[in-house]
Amino acid sequence: MASPNFFYIISILFLQLVLVFGNVTLSSTLSTNNNNSWLSPSGEFAFGFRQLNKNNTNFFMLAIWYNKISDKTIVWTAQNDNNLVQAPKGSQIQLTSGGLTLTTSQGDSLWTAQPNNAVSYGTMLDTGNFVLVNKTSTFVWESFNFPTDTLLPKQSLDLSGTLTSRFSETNFSSGRFQLYFNGDNILMSPLAWPTQLRYDSYYSSNVPENYNSSSLVFDELGDIYVETNNINGTRVKPPGKNWGDLVLDSKLYYYRATLDYYGVFTQYSHPRDINAKQGWSIMRYVPDDICIDIRSDFGSGTCGYNSYCSIENQRPSCKCPYGYSLTDQSNQFGGCQLNFPLGCEVDNGEVLNVKPEEVYEYSVVEGVDWPLSDYERLQPYSQ
Ligand SMILES: *[C@@H]1O[C@H](CO)[C@@H](O)[C@H](O)[C@H]1NC(C)=O
Ligand SMILES: *[C@@H]1O[C@H](CO)[C@@H](O)[C@H](O)[C@H]1NC(C)=O
Ligand SMILES: *[C@@H]1O[C@H](CO)[C@@H](O)[C@H](O)[C@H]1NC(C)=O
Ligand SMILES: *[C@@H]1O[C@H](CO)[C@@H](O)[C@H](O)[C@H]1NC(C)=O
Ligand SMILES: *[C@@H]1O[C@H](CO)[C@@H](O)[C@H](O)[C@H]1NC(C)=O
Ligand SMILES: *[C@@H]1O[C@H](CO)[C@@H](O)[C@H](O)[C@H]1NC(C)=O
C-alpha cells in the first residue's frame, strides 16, 4: 500500500534535482528578479546573475562563480568587446536552439552567445565551464573560450586569447592590465584608460625562439605553463622568483589563476573542505615586483599618479606622500591628489591670505624613487 506513494515522492525529488542540477533545457530562463542559477552537478559552480556591487540592486552582471565557498568568488562575467555587460533589474537570460540571449525587461538585447550550430542543451560543468552542446554532443560554445580575468584548471588560453583585469576589487568593469600572447610569448601590459590601448609590456614569458608556443595551459593537476612544440621539452614555466614549483593537490584545493586588478598574475588556492580555514591563499605570482617592473613612459604604474608603491604581504600597497590624499577614498590604486590649492594666486597670498613662505614646506621622503611615469601620460591623446 505504501509503495505508490513512496515512488511518487521519489519521482518528485528526482524532478526537482533535475531542474536544479541537470542540463539546462531549451527555453529555460533566469531572471534578475529571482535568485535562481544553473548549477554544476556537484553544486560547486553556478551560472546566473550577480549584483553589480553590494549596494546596487538595480544592475546585475551575468556571471559564473564558486557556489560552495562563502566568498562566492566570480570567475567569469559576460562581456561585449571587453566591456562588462550591465543588466538592469528585470533582465533575463534565455536558452534557445540559437544559443543564449540576455535581454532587458523591454526586450532589448544586451548580450548573446550564438554558435553556428543548433544547440540541444546547456550545462554548467564541474570544471567551471558553461557549455552549449549540439545534437551530436559537441561543445559549440564554451565560457572557457571567453575568459575574463581568471583561468581555471583544464582551461587554456590560446594564441588569440587575452585576460583583462577588472577595474578594482569590487568593480568588474574592464580594468587597467592585460595578459596576451605576442608570437610565442605571454606578455602583460598596462592598458590606457578608457581607450584600452596596450602600453609597453612589463612581463614576458621569455619562451626561446623557435619553440612555437601553442597555448597557456592550466592543467587538471593545477600546474600552469606555456605549451610549445619544441622537441626538447614542450613546457615552459613562467619565469619569476615568486613562481616556484609547488606540490599540488586538486582533490583538496580549488585553484584559480587571476590577472589581478593591480596587474599581477597570481595562482590562488582555497581549501575545498568547508571546515578548513576559508579564503584564498596566494601560491605564486609574476612579475616579481609590480612596483618596479612597470617602467613605461606612458601610464602611471599600478598605483596611479602622485602616489608611491611598495610590496606588503606579497601585494602592492599604494600610499600618498605627505600633503596628498587618495583621489577616490575607496580605491587605493586610483592615485592621489594635493590637499592644498596650487597656483600663482596662492603664491601671491590671494587665496589663503598668508605669506607665500608660509604656504609651502619641504618634507623628506626616504627610500622612494619615481624613476619614470612621473605624471599620467595617456595615449592616444594629443593634448
Ligand atoms: C540572493 O541570494 C544572496 C546570497 O544567498 C542573498 O544575499 C540575497 O539577499 C538574495 N537576494 C534575493 C533578492 O533574494
Ligand atoms: C555601500 O554602502 C555602505 C553603507 O552605506 C558604505 O559604507 C560602502 O562604502 C558602500 N560601498 C560601495 C562600494 O559603494
Ligand atoms: C555538432 O558540431 C560539430 C562541430 O561543429 C559538427 O561537426 C557536427 O556536425 C554538429 N552536429 C550536428 C548534429 O549538427
Ligand atoms: C567601475 O569603474 C569604471 C571606471 O572607472 C566606472 O566607469 C564605473 O562606473 C564603475 N562601476 C561601478 C559599479 O562602480
Ligand atoms: C616552428 O614554426 C616554424 C614556422 O612555422 C617552422 O618552420 C618550424 O619548424 C617550427 N618549429 C617547431 C619546433 O615546430
Ligand atoms: C635540442 O637539444 C639539442 C641538444 O642539447 C640541441 O642541439 C638542439 O638545438 C635543441 N633543439 C631545440 C629546438 O631547442
Side-chain angles (χ1 to χ4, degrees):
M1 287 295 280
S3 54
N5 269 341
F6 178 73
F7 281 115
Y8 179 62
I9 288 166
I10 292 279
S11 61
I12 285 198
L13 277 177
F14 180 69
L15 265 178
Q16 284 181 342
L17 287 176
V18 167
L19 282 175
V20 181
F21 293 96
N23 292 338
V24 179
T25 52
L26 297 187
S27 76
S28 297
T29 59
L30 290 175
S31 158
T32 65
N33 291 337
N34 56 40
N35 238 351
N36 292 346
S37 51
W38 294 329
L39 297 181
S40 70
S42 66
E44 285 171 1
F45 284 96
F47 177 99
F49 290 105
R50 290 281 297 265
Q51 277 178 216
L52 207 54
N53 61 47
K54 268 206 182 101
N55 295 352
N56 192 334
T57 53
N58 293 323
F59 283 91
F60 295 78
M61 47 196 176
L62 186 64
I64 294 172
W65 63 90
Y66 283 96
N67 197 47
K68 278 195 168 168
I69 63 177
S70 54
D71 284 349
K72 303 278 184 279
T73 310
I74 290 176
V75 297
W76 179 88
T77 53
Q79 314 247 339
N80 283 325
D81 293 332
N82 232 359
N83 289 308
L84 181 70
V85 174
Q86 308 192 3
K89 197 180 172 70
S91 299
Q92 71 165 27
I93 182 102
Q94 180 167 42
L95 179 67
T96 64
S97 61
L100 289 167
T101 328
L102 173 57
T103 49
T104 65
S105 55
Q106 282 86 40
D108 297 328
S109 172
L110 294 172
W111 177 86
T112 58
Q114 291 173 321
N116 295 326
N117 232 261
V119 175
S120 287
Y121 63 93
T123 300
M124 181 72 252
L125 298 175
D126 281 335
T127 53
N129 193 7
F130 187 85
V131 297
L132 301 180
V133 186
N134 75 3
K135 224 178 208 158
T136 44
S137 303
T138 303
F139 295 171
V140 288
W141 186 89
E142 311 181 38
S143 62
F144 268 15
N145 289 341
F146 303 91
T148 51
D149 62 355
T150 296
L151 292 177
L152 296 172
K154 290 189 160 181
Q155 183 175 18
S156 59
L157 198 67
D158 66 21
L159 296 180
S160 63
T162 61
L163 297 181
T164 306
S165 66
R166 68 182 73 156
F167 195 80
S168 72
E169 189 169 9
T170 53
N171 181 335
F172 286 77
S173 289
S174 221
R176 303 183 295 127
F177 301 95
Q178 202 160 61
L179 180 153
Y180 56 99
F181 269 103
N182 181 4
D184 286 337
N185 271 303
I186 287 280
L187 302 182
M188 289 189 235
S189 289
L191 295 181
W193 193 87
T195 61
Q196 301 196 338
L197 181 99
R198 278 178 194 153
Y199 291 142
D200 292 346
S201 60
Y202 56 87
Y203 181 81
S204 166
S205 56
N206 287 335
V207 173
E209 254 179 77
N210 306 321
Y211 265 45
N212 296 17
S213 300
S214 54
S215 58
L216 178 68
V217 172
F218 197 166
D219 72 17
E220 199 169 349
L221 300 173
D223 203 7
I224 298 176
Y225 45 85
V226 180
E227 182 75 26
T228 73
N229 297 320
N230 183 49
I231 40 166
N232 289 345
T234 56
R235 296 179 177 186
V236 177
K237 194 178 111 160
K241 68 176 182 346
N242 297 311
W243 193 276
D245 292 322
L246 299 173
V247 178
L248 297 159
D249 191 344
S250 55
K251 285 199 186 66
L252 292 180
Y253 295 96
Y254 293 118
Y255 296 122
R256 69 178 165 95
T258 300
L259 180 62
D260 291 313
Y261 59 92
Y262 37 75
V264 180
F265 181 64
T266 308
Q267 184 174 358
Y268 293 91
S269 67
H270 188 293
R272 285 175 183 265
D273 180 357
I274 52 166
N275 297 314
K277 188 173 175 289
Q278 298 297 288
W280 290 99
S281 308
I282 295 168
M283 301 171 74
R284 49 186 176 180
Y285 59 93
V286 286
D288 293 342
D289 184 342
I290 192 75
C291 294
I292 57 177
D293 288 335
I294 299 182
R295 289 174 162 273
S296 172
D297 280 338
F298 294 102
S300 56
T302 191
C303 284
Y305 54 91
N306 295 324
S307 60
Y308 64 94
C309 176
S310 56
I311 300 290
E312 289 171 16
N313 298 322
Q314 303 184 294
R315 300 289 86 176
S317 165
C318 304
K319 297 201 177 68
C320 299
Y322 178 71
Y324 289 72
S325 53
L326 290 176
T327 306
D328 171 1
Q329 285 304 323
S330 66
N331 180 13
Q332 65 154 307
F333 294 87
C336 307
Q337 62 190 13
L338 283 167
N339 289 338
F340 53 91
L342 197 63
C344 302
E345 302 85 357
V346 179
D347 297 352
N348 296 336
E350 290 163 25
V351 173
L352 302 174
N353 238 341
V354 290
K355 289 190 203 136
E357 50 272 31
E358 286 168 25
V359 176
Y360 298 105
E361 60 179 305
Y362 281 95
S363 159
V364 177
V365 191
E366 278 172 3
V368 175
D369 188 13
W370 282 270
L372 285 170
S373 318
D374 301 328
Y375 297 95
E376 180 77 288
R377 204 170 138 202
L378 297 171
Q379 260 198 342
Y381 297 103
S382 57
Q383 287 192 4

